[in-house]
Structure formats: structure tokens, C-alpha cells
Amino acid sequence: MRQYLRRIIQALSALLLNGYWYFPISRTIYQGQLKSICCPGLNCHSCPAAITACPLGAIQNFMAEVRVSLEAARYHFGFYVLGWLGIIGGLVGRMPCGWVCPFGLIQDLLFKIPGRKIRIPYIFSYGPYIFLVLTIFILPIWVVDAFGYGFLWFCKFICPAGTLEAGLPLLILQPTLRTMVGHLFYIKVAILFFFVAWSVLASRPFCRTVCPLGAFYSFFNRVSLFRLRYHPEKCTHCELCYRDCPVDIKFYESPNDSRCIRCLVCMRQSCAFGAISWEMGGTSELFVQGRGKGATMK
Amino acid sequence: MRKGPFIVICAFLLLCLIGTVSGEVRYVLEKAVSICLDCIGIG
């Protein structure tokens, strides 16, 4: 039941965050005031239907222009976007990855395609942190052109969400853009197809190996207001939570792991023994129900 | 009641307010309303 609820919320979020359905007629992107708000998930703001800004694109823009801004005495460091993401992270940790992110929904649906499935080695879970530090902060600040402007490294060379949600639709809507297509576009399309194929074989490969936004939220999983609680006295180590987890976490070994996307499948679907519950700011679900004893958190 | 989450949220709320006051909201809007050629792979 909870999975259906999550799917409905994911679908509604994707539709609302991409709520500019006039684009087939206007043939361009939404240009209203809502684009001053950053999307909690990964959703390219050049998607014709997008009504919010991409947080990763916004941070990169700040970093890419930080030298020029300082020379012009404009102190823009991306605090607005970082603060906004930090508030969300402080409230619910990585929950937007599991419940709101449109690109996460696409990967979840691709993984539903029947066939042989593979696990992603643990070593790849360091990838998002490397991409976060390098492509979002260091390279846009460090590598600049003759005028002092940096590049949007993640958007330009990697982001498959931008290719899928913005690149392909805009090339269909605006024929003039097709004349500008070069090698870079084909490389990005290849990256997109690589992740689409990988998503059929493994659960959420982009989130687990690349996504810098998930990496940012992951810092908050252990300190967020909303957390999961582990009740060791009820756990039988049956590993059903591990089997069902979309990011391959053994909950009993690492509750509130930084990789956890808070989909709550383990709590609502997998665990039949009540070994997992949630708490909000110290008040637990079980406490509310009058049966909370012996819970541990890491 | 844990205090940690509230400290984190307040710190980032302050950061968000500093960014808002310094005009970063308008900057985000300016960038987001124009087609990002980098994002679509032809920049």
C-alpha cells in the first residue's frame, strides 16, 4: 500500500514540478516567477514544462560566476540555494530522493522492467561525493575562460536528466537548435542511454553513483528532524529489508545510512516484526502509539 | 526532543535569508528563465 502511495506522490510531484503544460503551443520554456524557487529534486530548469529552477544548475551558475561577481562587488555565493537545500535536508534528509525527484521516479519505473538484476558495488557510493565536490564547486570556480566565467561542468558534460528532460524536447520544439548539435550532444545522449540501460538492470544507478544532489542531502540523514529508528530486540536478521531496499542497505547494520533515500519500503513493506519505526525530532511513531521501548539510532 | 536538527535547520535558514537579502533569488530566476545550452548539450 505504501509503495502505491509513494508512486502516486512521485508522479504528482513530477507533474507539478513540470506543470507548464502550455509549452507545446508556446514552444519555449516557462519564464514565470516560480522559477526563483529551487526544485527539491533533480529536474532541469530548461525542461520546457519545468516551473522551478534546478538546484544543481543554480549552484553551478553561482560558482561559475563567483570571480566576476566579486570583481563587480556582488557577493553571490549561492547561499540562497545551499540554505534552501539545507533546510530540506535538516527536515527530512534524503527523503526528496525517494518521494519527489522526477529522475528518481524514471529510474524506479525502468527498474520495474522484468529481467536479470544486478547489485551495484559499494565502492561506487563514493562517486556522488566526488561529483559534488569536483563538478559543482571546484571545477566551475577553478577553470574559467578569458573573461573569468567558469563552466557548468555537471550540466554540460554529465547530467542525463538535462538531456532527457530538456535537450531532446527542445530540439523537437525549436528546429533552430538542431543546427547547433555537435559531438557533445551525442556524448550526452550516450550517457543518457547508458543510465537508462543500467536502470533496467540495477536500482537507481544514477542516484547511487553520480547524483551530487543526493550526496548533499546525504550529509543530513543522521541529523535530520525525521529519522528512522531500529529496534534490535525485534529484529530477526531475516534480511528482507536488505532484499527490498532500492539502494541495498542492511538497515540493522546502519540505520539512517547516508545512502538511504527514505522510501520507507523497509518499514512499511519488508519488516513484519516491527523492528523499524520513524521518529520526528525525538518523538517516535511507537511512542505516539504507546509501545516505544528499546529503539536505537546511529 | 533532539536539538541538533533545529540548530541545523536554523543555520541553513539563516544562510538562505542571507542569500535572499543579497539578491540571489533574482539571480536564480534570471538564469532559470533562459534556455541553458550547457544543460541540453549544445553549449
Side-chain angles (χ1 to χ4, degrees), chain A:
Chain A
M1 180 62 195
R2 178 53 64 117
Q3 274 288 73
Y4 290 122
L5 176 64
R6 188 165 76 94
R7 290 282 179 260
I8 290 167
I9 291 174
Q10 280 180 300
L12 283 176
S13 300
L15 287 172
L16 286 173
L17 293 168
N18 295 288
Y20 180 63
W21 302 329
Y22 186 63
F23 75 87
I25 296 161
S26 71
R27 303 184 84 80
T28 189
I29 65 173
Y30 170 73
Q31 296 176 321
Q33 295 292 318
L34 283 173
K35 277 213 165 159
S36 56
I37 301 167
C38 286
C39 172
L42 188 68
N43 195 55
C44 184
H45 54 221
S46 287
C47 169
I51 59 165
T52 54
C54 170
L56 293 180
I59 295 172
Q60 283 172 93
N61 273 310
F62 280 114
M63 297 303 131
E65 295 189 13
V66 76
R67 295 188 192 205
V68 180
S69 296
L70 285 173
E71 283 174 9
R74 283 197 315 267
Y75 302 104
H76 288 171
F77 302 105
F79 288 162
Y80 163 62
V81 185
L82 293 170
W84 168 244
L85 295 178
I87 293 167
I88 295 170
L91 286 170
V92 292
R94 276 190 80 163
M95 194 174 254
C97 303
W99 292 76
V100 178
C101 181
F103 201 64
L105 172 63
I106 291 168
Q107 291 174 86
D108 281 347
L109 296 178
L110 285 169
F111 190 62
K112 290 266 177 200
I113 296 172
R116 183 171 170 266
K117 303 297 178 187
I118 56 173
R119 289 195 184 274
I120 297 173
Y122 181 80
I123 187 98
F124 284 97
S125 61
Y126 295 108
Y129 300 103
I130 295 168
F131 282 104
L132 174 67
V133 173
L134 277 183
T135 64
I136 306 298
F137 292 101
I138 291 180
L139 290 173
I141 295 173
W142 193 18
V143 184
V144 295
D145 63 15
F147 305 100
Y149 290 96
F151 305 103
L152 312 188
W153 285 76
F154 184 75
C155 297
K156 190 179 179 84
F157 299 109
I158 299 163
C159 187
T163 313
L164 178 69
E165 298 168 359
L168 297 174
L170 280 174
L171 288 183
I172 294 166
L173 289 172
Q174 299 194 6
T176 50
L177 288 175
R178 289 177 214 160
T179 59
M180 300 163 71
V181 167
H183 295 302
L184 183 60
F185 179 77
Y186 295 116
I187 291 168
K188 284 199 71 179
V189 170
I191 291 171
L192 169 64
F193 275 103
F194 172 74
F195 277 107
V196 166
W198 200 3
S199 299
V200 177
L201 295 171
S203 174
R204 288 187 171 241
F206 178 78
C207 309
R208 297 163 66 186
T209 64
V210 176
C211 186
L213 186 58
F216 184 85
Y217 282 137
S218 75
F219 294 125
F220 299 90
N221 260 9
R222 292 194 196 280
V223 295
S224 61
L225 202 62
F226 178 92
R227 288 200 301 184
L228 294 174
R229 293 184 97 168
Y230 174 52
H231 305 271
E233 80 283 359
K234 295 178 182 174
C235 181
T236 61
H237 296 260
C238 63
E239 294 205 338
L240 282 175
C241 55
Y242 176 53
R243 188 200 66 185
D244 292 341
C245 179
V247 288
D248 296 338
I249 295 169
K250 290 182 179 175
F251 187 83
Y252 54 88
E253 286 181 357
S254 181
N256 297 300
D257 191 285
S258 60
R259 293 169 293 156
C260 176
I261 57 169
R262 303 267 164 90
C263 63
L264 309 184
V265 168
C266 55
M267 185 178 78
R268 293 297 181 197
Q269 184 178 301
S270 309
C271 188
F273 307 101
I276 305 169
S277 66
W278 58 263
E279 63 122 44
M280 182 70 89
T283 306
S284 78
E285 173 195 27
L286 296 185
F287 181 79
V288 172
Q289 295 172 359
R291 49 193 177 94
K293 279 183 181 175
T296 63
M297 286 168 290
K298 287 182 182 174

